[in-house]
Amino acid sequence: LQCRMECRDVPAETLYDVLHDIEYRKKWDTNVIETFDIGRLTANSDVGYYAWRCPKPLKNRDVVTLRSWLPMGSDYIIMNYSVKHPKYPPRKDMVRAVSIQTGYLIEGTGAKSCTITYLAQVDPKGSLPKWVVNKSSQFLAPKAMKKMYKACLKYPEWKQKHDPHFKPWLFPEQSRLPALALSELSLQHADSLENIDESSLAESKEDRGEGSDEDS
């Protein structure tokens, strides 16, 4: 899945902050169930947990990912892939998905504009029905990008009131995360996880009714 969006009135560095800021994500990402950072590996890489709601009647998903980032002048890259962490095994109430390789490329196109390219190679586990796959590529990714764009417009004002100088993704010395050793982690391969067959599930009436923009 690849998605690209031009962001007017949003500087590249603001978009970069929004993608990193886990406290702000809890405010604007209406699909998030739970998200937290587990630990840091280096000045520009950490490990985190993210669980999100899936459209009914599918089970909700979660991932544990190793994320690394690189600022390059007015451009930024964020990449992540799934890892196993001994303290965060798959949960009974979720399906553990696998991020084979997911990334964002933010390119500054002016003082107050940028483009973002989102690339996702994810195995959501479970045999998914065709309607989910179609909906994901046609509606969900572009919709999520639009929601992120709106979040970017409101971020400077929000950040002013919430720990405005705390940005450990820019200033690694601010990080409060415990140090992790790479030896504690291993790659999460899709074939080692339980395969849940959801291919016969039909879309529920509420979800087909396209709902309001907020709950999708």
Side-chain angles (χ1 to χ4, degrees):
L1 173 69
Q2 186 174 342
C3 202
R4 186 181 159 90
M5 179 175 69
E6 289 186 31
C7 303
R8 291 188 195 127
D9 304 318
V10 174
E13 58 268 27
T14 301
L15 182 45
Y16 184 63
D17 287 351
V18 167
L19 286 173
H20 272 288
D21 199 322
I22 203 161
E23 291 310 313
Y24 188 54
R25 180 170 278 274
K26 293 169 189 171
K27 297 270 172 222
W28 68 267
D29 184 353
T30 47
N31 294 322
V32 71
I33 297 170
E34 191 182 5
T35 184
F36 52 86
D37 295 325
I38 295 168
R40 67 190 169 92
L41 288 157
T42 66
N44 68 330
S45 63
D46 62 15
V47 174
Y49 175 85
Y50 179 72
W52 71 97
R53 289 181 193 86
C54 289
K56 295 185 180 96
L58 301 179
K59 284 191 160 192
N60 294 330
R61 266 39 185 190
D62 70 353
V63 282
V64 173
T65 57
L66 189 159
R67 180 176 59 167
S68 50
W69 55 90
L70 183 65
M72 303 173 296
S74 61
D75 299 344
Y76 302 86
I77 291 177
I78 303 174
M79 298 296 289
N80 70 52
Y81 57 87
S82 280
V83 288
K84 285 185 201 182
H85 187 290
K87 289 185 184 160
Y88 301 95
R91 292 162 43 164
K92 287 196 169 65
D93 57 333
M94 300 262 178
V95 176
R96 178 63 48 94
V98 177
S99 165
I100 300 161
Q101 186 81 288
T102 305
Y104 298 94
L105 169 63
I106 303 163
E107 296 169 282
T109 53
K112 282 194 170 181
S113 63
C114 63
T115 63
I116 178 168
T117 306
Y118 170 63
L119 186 66
Q121 213 183 343
V122 177
D123 186 336
K125 288 310 294 173
S127 306
L128 288 175
K130 279 208 175 87
W131 64 264
V132 173
V133 180
N134 292 341
K135 198 167 182 175
S136 299
S137 48
Q138 289 169 16
F139 304 112
L140 297 184
K143 215 166 195 177
M145 297 276 265
K146 278 184 192 140
K147 196 177 278 184
M148 195 192 331
Y149 172 66
K150 282 183 188 166
C152 287
L153 295 173
K154 295 174 183 170
Y155 181 69
E157 191 187 343
W158 180 89
K159 188 63 175 164
Q160 275 304 309
K161 298 171 190 160
H162 299 84
D163 225 346
H165 304 294
F166 183 67
K167 295 185 178 184
W169 52 94
L170 294 178
F171 312 109
E173 67 279 3
Q174 294 180 344
S175 181
R176 301 163 187 162
L177 293 175
L180 276 179
L182 202 50
S183 56
E184 294 177 63
L185 309 168
S186 57
L187 262 181
Q188 176 70 75
H189 294 292
D191 50 18
S192 68
L193 291 165
E194 183 187 2
N195 199 47
I196 293 173
D197 188 359
E198 297 172 285
S199 54
S200 60
L201 293 174
E203 198 173 2
S204 71
K205 281 195 183 105
E206 307 94 272
D207 282 286
R208 213 176 298 122
E210 290 316 311
S212 77
D213 190 41
E214 280 312 296
D215 18 85
S216 49

